[in-house]
Amino acid sequence: MKILVFYILINTCLTNNSRVVGLLAQLEKISTEPTESDTARYVTSKILHLAQSQEKIRREMTAKGSTGMEVLLSTLENTKDLQTTLNILSILVELVSAGGGRRASFLVAKGGSQILLQLLMNASKESPPNEELMVQIHSVLAKIGPKDKKFGVKARINGALNITLNLVKQNLQNHRLVLPCLQLLRVYSANSVNSVSLGKNGVVELMFKTIGPFSKKNSGLMKVALDTLAALLKSKTNARRAVDRGYVQVLLTIYVDWHRHDNRHRNMLIRKGILQSLKSVTNIKLGRKAFIDANGMKILYNTSQDCLAVRTLDPLVNISSLIMRKCFPKNRLPLPTIKSSFHFQLPVIPMTGPVAQLYSLPPEVDDVVDESDDNDDIDLEAENETENEDDLDQNFKNDDIETDINKLKPQQEPGRTIEELKMYEHLFPELVDDFQDYDLISKEPKPLVFEGKVRGPIVVPTAGEEAAGNSGNFRKGVVMKENVSPLGDEGDKKPSFMDLAKEDIKDNDRTLQQPLAPGFTAGMRKDYSLPLTVVTCSKACPQVAACGNVLFEGRTVQLGKLCCTGVEIEDDEDTESASSVEQVSVEVSDGPTLHDSDLYIEIVKNTKSVPEYSEVAYPDYFGHIPPPFKEPILERPYGVQRTKIAQDIERLIHQSDIIDRVVYDLDNPNYIIPEEGDILKFNSKFESGNLRKVIQIRKNEYDLILNSDINSNHYHQWFYFEVSGMRPGVAYRFNIINCEKSNSQFNYGMQPLMYSVQEALNARPWWTRVGTDICYYKNHFSRSSVAAGGQKGKSYYTITFTVSFPHKDDVCYFAYHYPYTYSTLQMHLQKLESAHNPQQIYFRRDVLCETLSGNSCPLVTITAMPESNYYEHICQFRNRPYVFLSARVHPGETNASWVMKGTLEYLMSNSPTAQSLRECYIFKIVPMLNPDGVINGNHRCSLSGEDLNRQWQSPNPDLHPTIYHAKGLLQYLAAVKRLPLVYCDYHGHSRKKNVFMYGCSIKETVWHTNNNASSCDVVEDVGYRTLPKILSHIAPAFCMSSCSFVVEKSKESTARVVVWREIGVQRSYTMESTLCGCDQGKYKGLQIGTRELEEMGAKFCVGLLRLKRLTSPLEYSLPSSLLDFENDLIESSCKVTSPTTYVLDEDEPRFLEEVDYSAESNDELDIELAESADYETSTQEEVLSDSDSSRTYLP
């Protein structure tokens, strides 16, 4: 009767309010009255019924501002009635089960964890404890525990660990009770101290009693037990306990059993759980050894190969691959030492730094051991076990940002006295020359003169203008927009690049002699471009050696071997018969060329290398012209990385299949070159070459090892080498096995470059992107912690790619990026100097200094000649602002030199805009800051073994002469009050796409520290953003959103920051050009080529002209017809467009592109084990070939 009256009252009072709100209100009133237990039981049952049936009610009870959760928890804490307790627990289960993590977090925030743990303690005191109550409490705690950061500590303090563990021990056959208990044990184990405590109480042994071989029964319990075991084994103490009891073998046996019997793959999550447990236990050295001893590599290899055909089993393949890679025994590189093969004696050995450390390393430094923390007897609560150091990078912090405002403020520091700086006066004659001896009568442009031949002007390279062509015939040039050739019909002829007879040339003789032998003639063809020597052959030449005498006086320079079968003439209706003397012409596709093969040979003669190179690579001799087709970013075939890793693992499993033969070795000058016809031959003994050792692994697979930078034991990334002796149509796999960066654009569509001599002789003298099945991943080679500078487990990475060669016995060259040698630069500068019009262009080529090995570091000055030698014209000339440019401080960033080439050619051209630009500025350019590094094939350093772009703060004149004197030039300009308007250092970027800039801003740096109050107080001219913004409008490859203007502590000694902070140049930049391609703009989806890079260099110049208009609108104006720009003003509001960069020793931001496993180079990615199936059927695999169909030919 009492309940009936209450029910009537409830129904009448809820006419205008939610029913559940009224029930909760009533529950709150009666929760403190023990005599109202019947009513509480009834009310909670009604709330449970509503919560079970309506999502709206569940949302209402957990909505912001609702007191429903507090009422339920308060009642739960105070009630003595079992049924009321069960009802409330059931309500909580309903709420947290359907609402995801938010509702569980809501319950934690209301104090639910502590109340439930206390309830568990109270319930455990009953003998026997109520089964239903224990099931419900454990179910709720298992749901909310992961959302409570202190849950592990709370559970341990309340004594909950042993309660749950004892329940499992005492009720192993009661699956309904054991299941939520195991779920909660897994949550407990997330805390390492709890995990160790549970392990000591026998939980590991208990789990192995729960799991077992294949069974159709209790699969849910098996799954949860495996999840719990995997969490427990993350503790090293528990992992060692499992190894000591032989459980690694047990896990492998169970896995094989489930693999064999789970034919319909309905128990994929159980199989995955077993693998997760194996992954945890193999985090320790003992576990890895036990895994190897139990034949785990072969077991997982075979089972994973069985799974490849079913895409839904990919998680099993991926985890198996992770385990096998981790357990693959770590090896040292097969080298006598990881230090460079070449040694250069420094004039001064620094007391500190990487070179000093290198000289002090013990002999056994290269020995590699499996380094792990197996001796740690105590697992700390804060322990966070990760397999490799790269995992730590995923959550990097902003602690590299400079936060000291005083350090951020530019403070011009002379550094050197005026007397010391006077040594640079002779490099600035433009400031004192009165031009009395110059012929300045006319400003009319005159044709360029070179060796008595009239030539047309240099034209700005434009990536949009390309030759139409087909691969079989000679290509005709593009009609220039300006400066039509005055030569009439004859001007339409393209220069013949090289004509050679189709004759056999002996493979083993590389010497190209000069003067040319009888039968060879050298001549010039008239053309509107710069001249190019034409070599023609009028009679058979069986041997190159027969062509003449010694090439140089003093030492011989050899040219790489020509194709053994001579020139393959492609089928064409105009081709002569094979019996006649066939001639091949190699054409320049469009625009002028600065290449001269004979001049290049002469310059190489004076280039000094540490190995004393005597050979010249054919691409450098022939030259490179951009191909007439676009090369799209390569789409990555599905699963390519794991396929390559599986092939690597086969080396360990099937060792008898491995040839393991050395076929090239710089460290052993006496090694024998194999004579077998089917073995590739390698070479890198030429300028900028880098290849140290080659090992044949399988018939058509080779491991390649790069040489470290001289006076260093690392920095392996740049490669440039020759391959010969190939057969056409055979897929050759190349693995470069000692790269160091943790990721690469090779994982995101970038291809290596190949240059075919046969193709060059067939009128296609260009580098092309080649290779299929390309990926970049961590391998099993590593450096010792001593050699790695104290970094634990410093692993190497592999670049792997597969190439099929089009021609038999061709000679091909491979490179990381388009090579640009020091000798090429000197040749280009000499051609520019010889060809310029001295009445129009002021051009000086000086020597800034000599490098450590005695090579000259060129310094170029470019501006317009004064209109006359009258006083006002001389004053205008001297008062032009300076622009200071530099490039190639890092030898492996060859794209920086191609951008610089574009800049130089534009500045020397006769176009009206180029002339206007020269009239605006005086350009001081150091086009190659690290000649020695470039010459010797280094990737990052100079001969001092140091990154020169980290020496700008305190350069040593003996060890870093180019930096010391480049900084001296800038200090001199500051001392004479001629501070450059712009300083820009050209770089290349290996892990980002597009072209972008780094600049320096106090305000944006402070903004990134999240100290908004401080950033608001900073007053700063935002002119540093103007030039990048201009470039984003006019340069199709440039991306403003990738630019950053934040100053990091780790970059305080770079050129950009020092020139900004010490010299006082506000517009001080690093311009980074991608090695890969673009993901925005006109070139989106395309790999970058030399045409686009040179265009970027030219566009940079055009940007400077626009900058002049914006910064000096009153004193200077250009006709708008010359610059087709937007009329709107450059936006200059201070807003951050991209995050800063956080890199310790690279001029690169972290690689931020999203990576899935198939592209991931890190070993460990924590894989959450969801209770429900977490896999989906994937789309069909797409495999792309590296064929002409992947290229887009221009119309």
Side-chain angles (χ1 to χ4, degrees):
M1 185 65 184
K2 185 176 180 181
I3 294 174
L4 180 61
V5 172
F6 171 74
Y7 179 70
I8 295 171
L9 288 172
I10 287 293
N11 282 333
T12 55
C13 72
L14 293 183
T15 53
N16 296 320
N17 297 318
S18 168
R19 196 171 176 192
V20 74
V21 171
L23 289 168
L24 288 167
Q26 188 63 26
L27 182 62
E28 187 175 13
K29 289 181 182 178
I30 63 177
S31 63
T32 56
E33 301 178 17
T35 57
E36 300 289 340
S37 58
D38 290 344
T39 308
R41 195 178 306 143
Y42 178 78
V43 173
T44 52
S45 67
K46 296 300 292 181
I47 296 172
L48 175 60
H49 174 72
L50 290 170
Q52 289 173 332
S53 58
Q54 299 181 40
E55 170 61 21
K56 177 183 176 182
I57 298 299
R58 295 193 289 270
R59 284 199 306 268
E60 192 172 351
M61 293 179 66
T62 55
K64 188 176 181 180
S66 170
T67 60
M69 194 67 77
E70 288 98 323
V71 173
L72 289 173
L73 291 174
S74 175
T75 305
L76 186 65
E77 193 172 18
N78 295 313
T79 186
K80 303 297 183 184
D81 182 68
L82 176 61
Q83 190 57 50
T84 301
T85 300
L86 291 172
N87 287 345
I88 294 174
L89 289 171
S90 298
I91 294 169
L92 295 179
V93 169
E94 288 294 328
L95 293 177
V96 298
S97 296
R102 190 192 67 80
R103 292 181 187 173
S105 299
F106 186 77
L107 181 53
V108 170
K110 300 298 180 182
S113 300
Q114 191 60 48
I115 292 171
L116 288 165
L117 286 169
Q118 187 59 49
L119 181 62
L120 177 61
M121 282 291 298
N122 296 336
S124 67
K125 295 174 181 176
E126 298 182 15
S127 185
N130 184 282
E131 179 181 323
E132 183 64 26
L133 182 58
M134 285 299 186
V135 169
Q136 295 285 16
I137 294 173
H138 280 85
S139 297
V140 179
L141 284 172
K143 294 286 186 184
I144 70 171
K147 298 299 178 181
D148 187 346
K149 294 180 180 178
K150 297 292 184 182
F151 185 78
V153 178
K154 293 175 184 176
R156 187 166 65 250
I157 292 173
N158 280 278
L161 274 62
N162 287 331
I163 295 172
T164 304
L165 183 57
N166 289 331
L167 274 175
V168 176
K169 289 179 177 179
Q170 295 163 12
N171 298 275
L172 270 179
Q173 303 308 314
N174 186 346
H175 296 161
R176 183 171 179 272
L177 176 58
V178 168
L179 185 65
C181 290
L182 290 178
Q183 290 172 336
L184 187 54
L185 280 175
R186 182 192 174 197
V187 178
Y188 292 156
S189 302
N191 179 288
S192 57
V193 175
N194 290 352
S195 188
V196 172
S197 176
L198 288 168
K200 290 178 179 177
N201 289 323
V203 71
V204 175
E205 293 81 356
L206 188 62
M207 291 303 101
F208 277 95
K209 290 180 181 178
T210 309
I211 65 175
F214 178 80
S215 171
K216 294 183 179 180
K217 298 179 181 179
N218 306 319
S219 59
L221 183 67
M222 176 83 170
K223 167 69 173 60
V224 175
L226 286 166
D227 289 352
T228 306
L229 180 61
L232 287 163
L233 293 178
K234 287 182 178 179
S235 157
K236 293 173 184 174
T237 303
N238 290 340
R240 284 193 289 271
R241 183 175 284 108
V243 172
D244 292 342
R245 285 161 176 72
Y247 289 150
V248 173
Q249 178 71 66
V250 173
L251 285 170
L252 286 167
T253 303
I254 293 174
Y255 181 71
V256 170
D257 191 64
W258 280 88
H259 174 80
R260 287 175 179 168
H261 292 92
D262 187 23
N263 298 321
R264 297 187 179 182
H265 313 303
R266 293 177 176 174
N267 296 295
M268 196 273 282
L269 291 178
I270 290 178
R271 293 156 68 182
K272 186 178 178 182
I274 300 170
L275 290 176
Q276 289 285 8
S277 297
L278 281 168
K279 192 179 86 165
S280 295
V281 79
T282 51
N283 277 339
I284 64 170
K285 183 165 63 176
L286 286 173
R288 293 190 285 273
K289 183 178 183 302
F291 178 83
I292 294 290
D293 293 344
N295 204 22
M297 295 290 281
K298 189 170 185 178
I299 290 171
L300 289 197
Y301 174 80
N302 291 334
T303 55
S304 62
Q305 293 301 300
D306 293 342
C307 295
L308 287 176
V310 184
R311 287 287 290 272
T312 53
L313 298 182
D314 277 359
L316 304 183
V317 179
N318 294 343
I319 301 173
S320 296
S321 179
L322 289 173
I323 296 169
M324 288 187 286
R325 291 173 70 187
K326 182 167 50 175
C327 294
F328 203 118
K330 291 291 181 185
N331 295 324
R332 63 176 287 174
L333 289 169
L335 297 171
T337 173
I338 60 173
K339 291 186 284 190
S340 173
S341 296
F342 308 129
H343 176 72
F344 181 81
Q345 185 62 46
L346 295 175
V348 178
I349 305 298
M351 299 298 294
T352 59
V355 181
Q357 294 174 7
L358 186 73
Y359 276 80
S360 63
L361 291 176
E364 66 276 7
V365 66
D366 293 314
D367 294 335
V368 174
V369 296
D370 186 353
E371 298 167 308
S372 62
D373 299 327
D374 288 354
N375 294 325
D376 296 347
D377 295 325
I378 301 173
D379 291 83
L380 302 176
E381 184 172 353
E383 175 188 23
N384 180 20
E385 295 174 323
T386 56
E387 180 184 331
N388 61 76
E389 72 284 343
D390 295 317
D391 293 334
L392 303 176
D393 295 342
Q394 305 304 318
N395 298 308
F396 51 83
K397 296 182 179 180
N398 293 12
D399 46 4
D400 188 32
I401 299 180
E402 182 58 75
T403 56
D404 188 335
I405 296 292
N406 293 323
K407 288 185 178 180
L408 284 173
K409 290 179 180 177
Q411 299 171 351
Q412 285 185 252
E413 301 174 3
R416 293 153 71 178
T417 65
I418 298 297
E419 291 302 316
E420 289 179 302
L421 293 173
K422 281 185 177 180
M423 65 184 291
Y424 300 110
E425 276 184 346
H426 72 285
L427 297 176
F428 293 91
E430 66 273 9
L431 295 179
V432 295
D433 202 331
D434 58 10
F435 292 90
Q436 296 304 310
D437 298 328
Y438 288 77
D439 179 14
L440 300 174
I441 297 173
S442 172
K443 282 187 64 180
E444 290 298 316
K446 294 185 179 180
L448 299 176
V449 179
F450 182 83
E451 296 181 359
K453 303 290 183 179
V454 177
R455 301 294 171 194
I458 298 172
V459 181
V460 185
T462 302
E465 301 173 4
E466 304 190 15
N470 59 66
S471 58
N473 300 314
F474 297 145
R475 293 168 175 77
K476 295 185 178 180
V478 174
V479 177
M480 298 299 162
K481 292 184 178 179
E482 302 175 302
N483 306 312
V484 179
S485 170
L487 300 178
D489 294 339
E490 200 170 74
D492 291 333
K493 294 180 182 178
K494 308 300 293 183
S496 177
F497 193 85
M498 190 170 187
D499 297 315
L500 291 174
K502 182 181 179 183
E503 295 290 343
D504 289 346
I505 299 175
K506 283 196 175 178
D507 180 296
N508 59 359
D509 197 315
R510 297 165 168 252
T511 307
L512 181 69
Q513 308 289 358
Q514 193 179 24
L516 294 172
F520 278 78
T521 61
M524 299 284 187
R525 282 192 188 176
K526 291 185 179 180
D527 191 82
Y528 57 80
S529 65
L530 289 173
L532 182 65
T533 301
V534 179
V535 182
T536 59
C537 183
S538 58
K539 70 176 185 179
C541 229
Q543 296 186 54
V544 180
C547 293
N549 302 312
V550 179
L551 184 58
F552 300 135
E553 294 180 9
R555 73 181 176 98
T556 300
V557 173
Q558 300 173 318
L559 195 60
K561 56 192 172 190
L562 283 170
C563 314
C564 297
T565 57
V567 182
E568 292 181 8
I569 301 299
E570 299 185 356
D571 294 335
D572 189 275
E573 59 185 5
D574 297 327
T575 305
E576 295 179 334
S577 66
S579 60
S580 64
V581 177
E582 299 154 340
Q583 301 210 344
V584 179
S585 174
V586 179
E587 310 181 313
V588 177
S589 63
D590 62 343
T593 177
L594 296 179
H595 193 84
D596 183 326
S597 300
D598 293 332
L599 177 59
Y600 185 84
I601 293 290
E602 286 295 330
I603 289 172
V604 168
K605 169 184 176 181
N606 299 313
T607 299
K608 298 167 184 163
S609 62
V610 173
E612 298 184 350
Y613 290 133
S614 60
E615 298 179 24
V616 174
Y618 264 98
D620 303 323
Y621 175 76
F622 279 168
H624 158 81
I625 61 174
F629 47 80
K630 298 293 187 184
E631 298 176 291
I633 290 174
L634 191 69
E635 291 189 42
R636 182 187 178 107
Y638 178 82
V640 61
Q641 176 167 297
R642 69 185 187 194
T643 301
K644 299 300 180 185
I645 291 169
Q647 291 171 3
D648 288 351
I649 291 168
E650 288 173 8
R651 301 186 189 190
L652 187 66
I653 299 172
H654 307 298
Q655 296 184 19
S656 59
D657 296 341
I658 303 305
I659 298 173
D660 198 27
R661 171 165 45 185
V662 176
V663 296
Y664 181 73
D665 192 354
L666 280 185
D667 296 295
N668 179 15
N670 299 319
Y671 81 96
I672 300 173
I673 301 175
E675 294 298 327
E676 291 92 330
D678 58 350
I679 296 178
L680 295 180
K681 299 172 181 61
F682 295 83
N683 180 42
S684 65
K685 297 172 183 176
F686 46 78
E687 186 175 347
S688 294
N690 191 318
L691 182 64
R692 181 171 184 171
K693 189 172 186 176
V694 181
I695 302 170
Q696 185 183 20
I697 300 300
R698 299 180 177 94
K699 182 177 180 181
N700 299 316
E701 181 179 355
Y702 297 84
D703 277 359
L704 283 62
I705 302 174
L706 305 179
N707 199 15
S708 58
D709 287 3
I710 292 176
N711 275 318
S712 170
N713 63 5
H714 57 135
Y715 297 119
H716 313 94
Q717 207 79 16
W718 167 256
F719 57 86
Y720 183 17
F721 58 87
E722 173 192 291
V723 180
S724 59
M726 65 285 291
R727 291 174 294 147
V730 175
Y732 292 94
R733 178 181 172 186
F734 298 99
N735 311 305
I736 299 174
I737 63 173
N738 63 331
C739 299
E740 292 183 65
K741 293 181 186 292
S742 60
N743 213 328
S744 168
Q745 283 290 317
F746 282 116
N747 272 338
Y748 302 94
M750 184 169 83
Q751 296 172 279
L753 285 146
M754 187 181 84
Y755 190 105
S756 162
V757 172
Q758 187 69 64
E759 287 290 295
L761 297 175
N762 280 326
R764 291 181 287 274
W766 48 63
W767 286 95
T768 56
R769 303 275 188 172
V770 298
T772 57
D773 294 344
I774 301 170
C775 58
Y776 187 96
Y777 58 91
K778 181 179 288 188
N779 59 37
H780 61 278
F781 294 105
S782 67
R783 285 185 284 168
S784 66
S785 60
V786 178
Q791 300 178 63
K792 171 187 168 186
K794 187 68 174 178
S795 296
Y796 288 109
Y797 292 80
T798 292
I799 300 170
T800 182
F801 57 93
T802 301
V803 174
S804 294
F805 297 96
H807 303 290
K808 181 182 179 182
D809 292 329
D810 197 357
V811 178
C812 293
Y813 293 79
F814 289 94
Y816 182 60
H817 197 66
Y818 301 93
Y820 191 102
T821 66
Y822 169 77
S823 298
T824 298
L825 171 67
Q826 293 287 47
M827 175 186 66
H828 286 169
L829 292 178
Q830 188 167 326
K831 298 285 281 187
L832 287 171
E833 184 175 22
S834 301
H836 85 283
N837 182 348
Q839 288 190 318
Q840 186 176 347
I841 302 174
Y842 181 95
F843 178 93
R844 279 184 59 90
R845 182 159 64 115
D846 296 294
V847 174
L848 174 64
C849 63
E850 280 201 346
T851 65
L852 290 178
S853 64
N855 293 293
S856 62
C857 179
L859 171 68
V860 176
T861 306
I862 301 174
T863 188
M865 292 295 285
E867 188 172 346
S868 73
N869 53 19
Y870 292 151
Y871 175 76
E872 56 270 24
H873 291 154
I874 299 298
C875 284
Q876 189 277 338
F877 176 89
R878 292 179 181 175
N879 287 317
R880 293 170 188 166
Y882 276 90
V883 170
F884 200 108
L885 306 177
S886 60
R888 207 66 186 280
V889 71
H890 295 140
E893 296 168 8
T894 58
N895 47 357
S897 282
W898 288 100
V899 176
M900 180 58 77
K901 178 175 182 282
T903 293
L904 289 168
E905 288 191 38
Y906 184 86
L907 290 175
M908 295 297 288
S909 70
N910 282 341
S911 71
T913 50
Q915 178 62 22
S916 298
L917 184 63
R918 290 192 295 267
E919 292 170 356
C920 292
Y921 301 108
I922 300 173
F923 288 86
K924 283 288 181 186
I925 303 174
V926 185
M928 191 171 283
L929 278 166
N930 191 353
D932 288 345
V934 172
I935 292 166
N936 293 287
N938 284 6
H939 175 67
R940 187 111 183 145
C941 300
S942 69
L943 294 186
S944 70
E946 296 167 294
D947 181 347
L948 290 183
N949 203 35
R950 291 298 183 278
Q951 311 304 324
W952 278 79
Q953 273 186 323
S954 303
N956 184 310
D958 296 318
L959 293 175
H960 326 118
T962 61
I963 304 303
Y964 179 82
H965 293 295
K967 185 177 181 181
L969 293 180
L970 288 158
Q971 290 171 323
Y972 176 83
L973 286 173
V976 298
K977 309 301 181 186
R978 296 300 304 274
L979 211 58
L981 178 69
V982 171
Y983 170 75
C984 190
D985 191 22
Y986 293 3
H987 282 254
H989 205 291
S990 68
R991 290 189 283 187
K992 289 187 74 175
K993 292 182 171 69
N994 310 310
V995 181
F996 51 95
M997 277 179 157
Y998 297 140
C1000 301
S1001 163
I1002 303 174
K1003 195 174 185 72
E1004 295 196 32
T1005 303
V1006 174
W1007 186 90
H1008 267 283
T1009 64
N1010 298 319
N1011 189 343
N1012 294 325
S1014 298
S1015 62
C1016 291
D1017 295 337
V1018 175
V1019 177
E1020 184 177 38
D1021 180 358
V1022 293
Y1024 62 87
R1025 278 180 162 266
T1026 309
L1027 182 58
K1029 189 70 175 179
I1030 292 170
L1031 292 175
S1032 71
H1033 283 287
I1034 66 173
F1038 195 88
C1039 179
M1040 186 69 188
S1041 63
S1042 294
C1043 296
S1044 175
F1045 304 93
V1046 176
V1047 180
E1048 301 102 332
K1049 297 173 186 176
S1050 61
K1051 304 295 177 64
E1052 64 182 1
S1053 58
T1054 60
R1056 163 178 63 101
V1057 177
V1058 170
V1059 173
W1060 171 72
R1061 180 182 289 162
E1062 294 185 22
I1063 310 298
V1065 178
Q1066 183 203 23
R1067 295 181 177 88
S1068 179
Y1069 306 104
T1070 297
M1071 186 162 73
E1072 300 274 0
S1073 300
T1074 180
L1075 291 162
C1076 177
C1078 298
D1079 58 12
Q1080 53 85 46
K1082 176 181 174 182
Y1083 304 131
K1084 182 177 181 179
L1086 298 177
Q1087 295 185 77
I1088 204 159
T1090 57
R1091 182 183 282 106
E1092 291 78 21
L1093 292 168
E1094 290 184 55
E1095 179 193 61
M1096 187 64 235
K1099 294 292 187 183
F1100 180 82
C1101 295
V1102 177
L1104 291 172
L1105 197 52
R1106 175 67 183 272
L1107 179 68
K1108 181 68 175 178
R1109 294 180 64 193
L1110 291 174
T1111 54
S1112 309
L1114 297 178
E1115 65 182 66
Y1116 182 79
S1117 178
L1118 278 176
S1120 59
S1121 60
L1122 293 183
L1123 295 171
D1124 186 20
F1125 296 143
E1126 299 80 4
N1127 292 322
D1128 56 302
L1129 291 176
I1130 297 297
E1131 178 188 39
S1132 58
S1133 58
C1134 180
K1135 64 179 182 180
V1136 178
T1137 58
S1138 66
T1140 185
T1141 64
Y1142 308 100
V1143 179
L1144 295 180
D1145 54 0
E1146 307 262 354
D1147 270 343
E1148 303 175 349
R1150 295 286 178 192
F1151 186 77
L1152 299 178
E1153 294 189 32
E1154 186 174 347
V1155 184
D1156 60 11
Y1157 167 73
S1158 64
E1160 179 57 68
S1161 63
N1162 295 337
D1163 283 1
E1164 291 279 350
L1165 289 177
D1166 231 3
I1167 303 172
E1168 279 293 327
L1169 291 176
E1171 289 193 3
S1172 59
D1174 59 351
Y1175 54 94
E1176 297 177 358
T1177 304
S1178 304
T1179 57
Q1180 291 299 313
E1181 179 170 344
E1182 296 179 2
V1183 179
L1184 300 178
S1185 63
D1186 181 41
S1187 63
D1188 285 344
S1189 62
S1190 68
R1191 296 186 172 123
T1192 306
Y1193 283 83
L1194 300 177

